Amino acid sequence: MPYAVASVALVVTGAVTFTLASWRISGRAPVLVAAQPIAAGQVIGGSDVRTVNVGASEGLDLVASIDASKVVGHVAAVPLAPGTLLTTHMVGTSDFPPAGQSVVGVALKAGTFPPRLGVGDRVNVWPGPNEAVVPNGTAAAAPLAAGAVVTSVGAADSLGTSVVTMLVDAQSAPKVSQAPSLSVVEIAPNAAGQP
């Protein structure tokens, strides 16, 4: 019996040593990423994360897959888009939204936003089709909110309306929340820094 226990211990120790050595040699290590959108304030579950192998500097403080307990079961401090590499700074007391910004939830009808709109997408928010023309008959010159970031997209109801939450600057929040209807236009990734 003692030999069997010693044999199992040796096999486990050898496997762990081999795994650690292969990570060091390859320069890649298994770390956790968000598997699906995670809202700020949401408790992170095991199905919300997955493992990927990456080569990264230790200074990034990424969460290794063997340290999943550092994030799983904890509250997300910020919204996390799928594929986000997780760090321990992303969990804990929610410090979201940042100062000077607000989260606004709006009901958007089908056709007024891109069908593949997702968490993390940057968008411009415009008046809806019926409000897009100002009283003098010209089109609105500027969006109600420029460079807003989508924080959640709800499933469409029976009428095709989805509730979408966005992070917008605090000055734009009242204009967006009080508009009778809205249209959302996604900003192309290469134009994200453009107004």
Side-chain angles (χ1 to χ4, degrees):
M1 189 66 175
Y3 293 118
V5 172
S7 297
V8 170
L10 283 174
V11 169
V12 170
T13 302
V16 169
T17 303
F18 175 77
T19 302
L20 293 174
S22 67
W23 291 346
R24 289 181 187 262
I25 292 169
S26 70
R28 300 173 72 78
V31 298
L32 296 180
V33 300
Q36 56 195 2
I38 301 171
Q42 175 183 332
V43 175
I44 300 171
S47 62
D48 295 324
V49 299
R50 63 185 176 85
T51 302
V52 296
N53 290 320
V54 299
S57 166
E58 291 182 15
L60 294 178
D61 200 23
L62 299 177
V63 178
S65 60
I66 59 174
D67 294 328
S69 62
K70 290 183 177 179
V71 293
V72 174
H74 296 271
V75 174
V78 295
L80 301 168
T84 302
L85 293 168
L86 301 180
T87 71
T88 54
H89 304 294
M90 294 176 176
V91 297
T93 304
S94 179
D95 55 359
F96 188 82
Q101 297 187 307
S102 299
V103 175
V104 177
V106 294
L108 298 175
K109 295 179 181 178
T112 62
F113 65 97
R116 294 185 181 180
L117 190 68
V119 173
D121 289 347
R122 291 177 56 84
V123 297
N124 287 338
V125 183
W126 294 87
N130 298 332
E131 290 79 32
V133 176
V134 294
N136 64 7
T138 60
L144 299 175
V149 179
V150 176
T151 57
S152 71
V153 179
D157 64 15
S158 59
L159 300 175
T161 301
S162 298
V163 174
V164 176
T165 61
M166 295 173 280
L167 180 67
V168 301
D169 64 272
Q171 293 178 340
S172 299
K175 294 186 277 186
V176 172
S177 63
Q178 295 170 9
S181 67
L182 298 168
S183 291
V184 170
V185 179
E186 188 171 4
I187 301 173
N190 61 357
Q194 302 295 321

